[in-house]
Amino acid sequence: MASDDVLVGSLMEESWLTLEQLAAACTVEPAWLIRHLEDGLIPHAESVAGVWCLSSSSLLRARRMRQIERDFDAVPELAALVADLLEEVDDLRAALLTRRTAGG
């Protein structure tokens, strides 16, 4: 897969990915992912007996961070902050949509 190719799909709730699966889906080296995990920049990840298990929500976050780092030559901490803000906007939009569909 070329670095400019886009992988489109939907996140599966309650599914876990391995480090290698997440790295492949984000088109990054596992070492990139390990650095970000060890620095605590990708939440919802667990290391059990030395094996990383990552939630499906980590996929979107890692992709966003990779794109921000690449497109803006951003340091990982800044990319994580922007990812936090984007996640907050997503949550607010979902809450607003839920409120509108509930008649509120």
Side-chain angles (χ1 to χ4, degrees), residues 1-7 23-29 32 35-36 61-80 82:
M1 179 181 292
S3 63
D4 292 336
D5 289 347
V6 175
L7 182 62
C26 295
T27 62
V28 296
E29 293 295 320
W32 180 93
R35 282 191 311 271
H36 288 69
R61 182 178 181 86
R63 281 184 175 170
R64 281 177 167 168
M65 289 179 61
R66 178 187 148 278
Q67 184 175 6
I68 293 162
E69 287 179 24
R70 184 192 65 216
D71 293 352
F72 300 102
D73 196 25
V75 296
E77 295 79 8
L78 178 59
V82 172

Side-chain angles (χ1 to χ4, degrees), residues 17-58:
L17 303 166
T18 66
L19 180 96
E20 291 78 17
Q21 289 170 324
L22 189 67
C26 295
T27 62
V28 296
E29 293 295 320
W32 180 93
L33 201 50
I34 290 170
R35 282 191 311 271
H36 288 69
L37 288 165
E38 289 176 347
D39 289 343
L41 302 177
I42 300 177
H44 313 296
E46 295 180 24
S47 180
V48 179
V51 176
W52 284 100
C53 297
L54 300 121
S55 71
S56 56
S57 63
S58 299

